[in-house]
Amino acid sequence: MATWAEDEIGRKWDRCFTDAIFKFGGGILLGGVFSLFFFKRRKWPIITGGGFGLGMAYANCQEDLNSTIRRQKSRECSKPDKEKPAEEKKSS
């Protein structure tokens, strides 16, 4: 069964959003734990953890989507070489 490029990119976007939600939530959770136990309930570890999670998700999405685009470009047919003009054919 053939898959359309739009369907494949759509599935990858869905995975990216899911990955971002999980990593953002995990970063907030980990930052909350550090804030609670080590930093006297400050906000910055929570914000930093969420930022790290979103950054990791962004990097994964970028690599995933770029690999799809690179693979599609390599499928394009190349144009056939034009024949050499008659003058060049005589000299060779």
Side-chain angles (χ1 to χ4, degrees), residues 7-70:
D7 293 339
E8 185 177 350
I9 290 175
R11 280 192 301 273
K12 288 191 178 196
W13 271 110
D14 290 342
R15 265 188 284 168
C16 283
F17 287 130
T18 304
D19 189 39
I21 289 169
F22 280 122
K23 288 194 173 152
F24 180 67
I28 286 179
L29 183 68
L30 193 61
V33 169
F34 272 86
S35 174
L36 184 64
F37 290 123
F38 299 114
F39 296 109
K40 298 181 186 176
R41 296 185 183 181
R42 304 274 188 208
K43 285 187 221 178
W44 68 265
I46 298 170
I47 295 168
T48 304
F52 280 135
L54 283 177
M56 288 171 44
Y58 177 80
N60 289 343
C61 282
Q62 185 178 19
E63 182 61 34
D64 198 20
L65 291 172
N66 284 341
S67 69
T68 303
I69 292 169
R70 274 187 250 126

